[in-house]
Amino acid sequence: MADVKKLMVPWLEKCEPYFSEHIELAWEDQSLSRMMSNEAPFPPQKAVLDKLIEGAKICHRYPDSLKHIRSKIGELNGGLGFDWVVLGNGSTEVLDMTMRAFMQPGDTLIQSNPCYGIYIKRADIIGAKTISIDAKDNWEYDLDRIEDAIDSKTKIIILANPNNPTGNLIDDAVYERLLKHDVIVICDEAYIEYSGLENSKIPIMKKNPNMIISRTLSKAYGLAGMRFGYLLGQPETIEIISRTIMSWNISLISAFGAYAALLDQEGLKEKIRKTNEGRDYIESELSKIDGVTVYHTYGNYILLDATPTGATSAEIVNGVLERDNIILRKVSPFKKKTGLFRITIGNKEENERCVEAVKAFFNSRR
């Protein structure tokens, strides 16, 4: 009998199947408030739901290349042509496609720490090495150390704008400096809609063929479960990445829903308005807790540091879950900060319950 582990490519030895414990928990007990995964709390608009149903009725057919959706995305992003856009099953897939297009086993990806945890997982799967460069104490990217880490094996540098979990926007100068190197620079803009597309790095990308911008409909558009994302880049770069596309990677149902969502910009603006109101409320209220630092965010999540209180990340998250049935997100210790945790902004009721719960947790420790 064959030993399939011996047939496996060796770099998969350290990889594990993706598993999200907190999402499993949320589905197992749907009474829990989901304030941990940066999902939007608002369901799809009626126009989107109607189109999802319309797509479902003809899903015995394969979709085409979805040129109309790529054209709409280009239009919304400064009048780019459809050939500046590639679509994927969430932004995770388009990031994976980019890594497959430009990296091979032994190559290097550079990221900042802390950041979105999927980057390193996708690099691992193709046998690439990831170098994580700690951010500065103010959460800005440490550009000098990132540049020092670049060598002949470096193929991709990925830096989010705004960053997750820190929520800060990134200066143009960071990307402009890195683009001088012979590497692909990815700007992950999963949350850019919350601060406005005027903060996007599209103007820089239009001048640099080695820059790529990733986006998703999972956050501000509120369609995480539909799975739809896209890349923006110069046509030559997009054509290379497009060679890695899986056949019919976008379902017909998702395509119908995505197009309807992209057409409903007023619906998007209303979701953003409600989310940003919730952000301001949570930041204001939780800033009143002694020993807790609330970092202003440009996303739909808020990073907090309660290290001076003596409470650890696990104690805070577990305490709020056990007492109030709200799932928050643990954040790994960083430079002696052991009390970091993240809150996803919910609807008005969820935000009020979360504020009460977090305040009650810290009051109980006095």
Side-chain angles (χ1 to χ4, degrees):
M1 184 177 295
D3 184 346
V4 294
K5 288 204 73 173
K6 289 184 178 179
L7 300 174
M8 178 181 72
V9 293
W11 51 85
L12 284 184
E13 187 66 40
K14 66 177 181 178
C15 301
E16 296 180 357
Y18 181 74
F19 180 81
S20 176
E21 182 178 0
H22 49 271
I23 290 180
E24 296 290 323
L25 175 63
W27 280 113
E28 288 170 5
D29 184 353
Q30 296 184 40
S31 69
L32 300 174
S33 293
R34 304 169 65 130
M35 303 186 74
M36 74 296 181
S37 295
N38 299 351
E39 301 163 313
F42 313 111
Q45 305 94 297
K46 184 179 183 302
V48 175
L49 291 173
D50 288 346
K51 283 296 182 179
L52 288 169
I53 293 170
E54 184 179 333
K57 289 179 178 179
I58 55 171
C59 67
H60 58 296
R61 302 297 188 189
Y62 288 121
D64 61 7
S65 66
L66 306 177
K67 180 178 175 181
H68 65 294
I69 298 180
R70 291 183 287 145
S71 295
K72 185 61 182 178
I73 289 170
E75 175 191 324
L76 292 172
N77 287 280
L80 302 175
F82 73 91
D83 53 348
W84 290 64
V85 184
V86 65
L87 308 179
N89 192 262
S91 59
T92 299
E93 186 187 39
V94 292
L95 291 171
D96 180 81
M97 290 161 56
T98 303
M99 292 184 193
R100 292 179 186 277
F102 293 105
M103 301 180 79
Q104 59 185 323
D107 286 341
T108 300
L109 168 79
I110 297 177
Q111 64 178 17
S112 184
N113 176 52
C115 69
Y116 181 39
I118 294 297
Y119 305 150
I120 188 172
K121 291 180 181 295
R122 302 320 300 172
D124 285 348
I125 284 171
I126 58 175
K129 175 185 176 184
T130 299
I131 297 176
S132 297
I133 305 296
D134 283 352
K136 297 178 181 179
D137 290 342
N138 62 358
W139 302 121
E140 290 182 1
Y141 295 139
D142 193 332
L143 196 49
D144 289 339
R145 292 189 60 224
I146 290 173
E147 284 195 303
D148 287 344
I150 298 172
D151 61 20
S152 61
K153 289 289 187 180
T154 306
K155 295 299 189 297
I156 295 177
I157 301 172
I158 183 164
L159 299 173
N161 174 53
N163 189 37
N164 172 25
T166 56
N168 52 314
L169 289 170
I170 311 305
D171 290 341
D172 288 358
V174 171
Y175 297 95
E176 290 168 340
R177 184 165 152 187
L178 293 174
L179 285 162
K180 295 176 182 178
H181 296 272
D182 192 21
V183 297
I184 296 294
V185 177
I186 302 175
C187 176
D188 183 353
E189 292 189 341
Y191 303 92
I192 196 64
E193 289 87 359
Y194 291 108
S195 67
L197 294 187
E198 64 270 18
N199 291 308
S200 172
K201 304 308 177 188
I202 287 177
I204 303 174
M205 178 273 291
K206 291 170 73 173
K207 300 175 184 177
N208 294 275
N210 57 327
M211 184 170 187
I212 297 163
I213 293 173
S214 61
R215 298 270 186 80
T216 181
L217 268 60
S218 295
K219 307 305 178 182
Y221 282 91
L223 297 169
M226 197 184 75
R227 311 307 303 134
F228 191 96
Y230 61 92
L231 282 181
L232 300 172
Q234 293 194 15
E236 176 187 10
T237 312
I238 292 299
E239 192 278 329
I240 292 170
I241 296 169
S242 296
R243 301 180 193 187
T244 70
I245 296 176
M246 289 287 290
S247 303
W248 306 295
N249 63 328
I250 305 296
S251 77
L252 198 60
I253 298 172
S254 295
F256 270 67
Y259 191 56
L262 291 164
L263 289 175
D264 187 10
Q265 289 298 301
E266 289 305 312
L268 172 65
K269 289 176 183 177
E270 180 63 11
K271 289 182 177 182
I272 291 170
R273 183 189 66 79
K274 291 179 180 178
T275 300
N276 288 344
E277 282 184 357
R279 172 201 64 195
D280 294 343
Y281 167 72
I282 294 174
E283 288 183 351
S284 174
E285 289 298 314
L286 296 188
S287 293
K288 299 173 184 177
I289 303 173
D290 289 340
V292 174
T293 298
V294 180
Y295 296 101
H296 180 61
T297 185
Y298 291 92
N300 69 335
Y301 51 87
I302 300 170
L303 180 66
L304 302 94
D305 179 20
T307 302
T309 71
T312 66
S313 179
E315 288 172 341
I316 298 163
V317 172
N318 292 339
V320 171
L321 174 61
E322 292 168 7
R323 181 185 180 278
D324 297 279
N325 295 326
I326 300 171
I327 312 176
L328 305 180
R329 189 65 172 267
K330 301 171 191 173
V331 177
S332 299
F334 181 81
K335 294 184 178 180
K336 299 183 179 180
K337 293 181 172 71
T338 56
L340 294 168
F341 65 106
R342 193 189 70 192
I343 298 172
T344 297
I345 300 162
N347 60 35
K348 189 173 186 295
E349 179 186 357
E350 289 171 327
N351 295 337
E352 290 174 353
R353 285 187 57 235
C354 180
V355 165
E356 290 180 9
V358 173
K359 286 182 176 180
F361 171 83
F362 288 104
N363 285 335
S364 70
R365 294 176 59 88
R366 292 177 179 173

